[in-house]
């Protein structure tokens, strides 16, 4: 048996208030619209006015809704009680359809599809579209569009952009929460809209809690007061739907982050134990390794060795060097990161790192490109940042055994500096992009699995991060460093 409109209404109000509702009373100038549950004086009453309606919510305890919650409550009550389409469609039926659309928890695209269709059918408009605000670029971008043939445009309309180079009537409607008509011939800024709408378009602001998120636009030959009221209603529906799904998405994200935090906490406990054990073992191994390497060198210098003995001594020295590197990596990873910040010129710094590495192995088949502006600086610990960059460049060169391009670039925003190291090697499979930064994970025969883990640790100590993504060919490792003193 399906849920009633009243049950949907109560469920939606409870999801906003995060508390159980015992009773609800909704009235307008003509009388009582809805009276359900326990509305006695024993209950705690919370009242609000929305348009021409007054609503009282009855609960077991005192509630103190935030401004955003109050705004959502008003819109929900207004949607439920308002029926601008004539007596044939009662308030309860209109409310039931609208609330069912939202509380069915379909994805947002499906809900907007259904709502934009309802604007055409119930509102008796010829065309309708929703555009969303990009506040950073001060422009509206197409979201969804529908005409009287019920053809939903999800491609071309989404490429539509309308900027606000100057204050205009469209921006006034959106930012001041209005519903009104606009003559598209009144400004060249509206030219992109003419392909989709008639010369005079009716526009309603979309938003929650005084914060604009876009506009709902419709057109037909002439507009009445009822058309404006209808569009205002649908604007409220769209706003509520978008905010509802944002809230659901945010809740899912918080739950996901909580699960991830629990997993990380468990892993960190294990890593602390492994790290402590590794550091102890590494310290115990360091001195014997130095002694073995020293004795091997003295035996070699003493002379009188056969060719086979020279070969065996070289193997001992090689293996000692390899073990010393492993021990060094373990000690570096388990050691507390202490930073000494300085202002670093990125161009000079990068060239110094490349020169150091060129003395260690061949770059003959590698085409090195540095795309960094001369005036770009970063605040970081020079030694540790050098260690990170050397590690990334070394890995990139080793990935390109037959040669390729090594591209080191940098860019900056108000708060961050980003350094990229791209190669034309084999890339990193998507399923391994998080795993490669875990301690002791490696796919190299002679690797320790601590190089990238140490890079991650150093970047996190700088309040930055490191991540890997696809390049056009190969992979690109990106370092994110905050500007000190910036927010």
């Amino acid at each position: 048996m399906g849920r009633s409109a009243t049950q949907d209404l109560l469920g939606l109000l409870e999801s906003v208030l995060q508390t159980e509702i015992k009773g609800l009373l909704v009235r307008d100038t003509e009388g009582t619209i809805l009276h359900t549950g326990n509305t006695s004086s024993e209950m705690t009453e919370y009242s609000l006015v929305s348009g021409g309606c007054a609503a009282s919510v009855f609960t077991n305890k005192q509630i103190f809704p935030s401004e955003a919650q109050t705004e959502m409550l008003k819109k929900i009550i207004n949607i439920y009680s308002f029926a601008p389409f004539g007596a044939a469609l009662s308030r309860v039926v209109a409310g039931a359809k609208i609330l069912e659309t939202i509380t069915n928890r379909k994805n947002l695209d499906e809900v907007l599809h259904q709502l934009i269709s309802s604007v055409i059918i119930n509102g008796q408009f010829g065309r309708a579209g929703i555009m969303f605000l990009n506040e950073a670029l001060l422009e509206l971008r197409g979201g969804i569009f529908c005409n009287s043939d019920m053809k939903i445009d999800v491609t071309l309309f989404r490429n539509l952009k309308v900027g606000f180079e100057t204050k205009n009537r469209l921006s006034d409607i959106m930012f001041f929460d209005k519903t009104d008509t606009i003559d598209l011939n009144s400004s060249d800024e509206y030219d992109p809209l003419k392909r989709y709408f008639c010369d005079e378009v009716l526009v309603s602001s979309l938003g929650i809690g005084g914060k604009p998120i876009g506009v709902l636009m419709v057109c037909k030959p002439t507009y009445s007061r009822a058309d404006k009221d209808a569009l205002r209603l649908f604007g409220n529906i769209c706003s509520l739907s978008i905010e509802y799904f944002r809230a659901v998405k945010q809740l899912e994200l918080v739950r996901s982050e909580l699960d991830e935090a629990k997993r990380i906490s468990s892993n960190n406990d294990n890593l602390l134990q492994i790290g402590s054990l590794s550091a102890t073992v590494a310290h115990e191994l360091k001195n014997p390794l130095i002694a073995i390497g020293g004795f091997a060198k003295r035996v070699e210098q003493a002379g009188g060795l056969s060719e086979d003995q020279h070969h065996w001594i070289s193997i001992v020295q090689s293996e000692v060097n390899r073990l010393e590197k492993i021990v060094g990596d373990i000690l570096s990873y388990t050691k507390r990161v202490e930073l000494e910040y300085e202002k670093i010129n990125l161009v000079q710094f990068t060239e110094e790192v490349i020169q150091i590495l060129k003395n260690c192995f061949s770059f003959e088949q590698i085409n090195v490109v540095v795309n960094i502006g001369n005036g770009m600086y970063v605040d970081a610990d020079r030694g540790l940042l050098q260690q990170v960059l050397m590690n990334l460049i070394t890995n990139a060169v080793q990935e390109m055994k037959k040669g390729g391009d090594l591209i080191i670039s940098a860019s900056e925003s108000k708060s961050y500096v980003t350094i990229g190291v791209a190669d034309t090697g084999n890339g990193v499979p998507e399923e391994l992009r998080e795993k490669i930064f875990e301690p002791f994970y490696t796919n190299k025969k002679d690797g320790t699995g601590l190089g990238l883990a140490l890079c991650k640790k150093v970047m996190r100590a700088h309040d930055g991060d490191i991540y890997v993504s696809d390049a056009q060919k190969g992979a690109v490792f990106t370092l994110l460093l905050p500007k000190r003193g910036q927010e």
Side-chain angles (χ1 to χ4, degrees), residues 196-209:
Y196 295 92
F197 300 99
C198 44
D199 289 345
E200 189 174 42
V201 63
L202 183 61
V203 183
S204 185
S205 172
L206 301 180
I208 288 285

Side-chain angles (χ1 to χ4, degrees), residues 314-377:
S314 66
I315 291 175
V316 170
Q317 291 175 327
S318 174
E319 289 303 300
V320 166
N321 289 337
R322 186 174 70 84
L323 290 172
E324 283 181 343
K325 183 181 183 307
I326 293 174
V327 169
D329 285 347
I330 293 173
L331 290 175
S332 294
Y333 184 75
T334 55
K335 187 170 64 175
R336 179 189 175 98
V337 178
E338 295 182 359
L339 304 176
E340 293 183 10
Y341 284 96
E342 62 177 284
K343 199 173 189 68
I344 300 170
N345 182 305
L346 270 183
V347 174
Q348 294 176 3
F349 177 76
T350 303
E351 289 174 351
E352 288 170 7
V353 171
I354 292 171
Q355 192 57 50
I356 292 170
L357 291 175
K358 280 184 176 179
N359 294 329
C360 299
F361 48 82
S362 175
F363 272 66
E364 288 180 6
Q365 293 181 295
I366 306 296
N367 176 37
V368 181
V369 179
V370 178
N371 291 328
I372 302 176
N374 285 323
M376 195 173 296
Y377 289 82

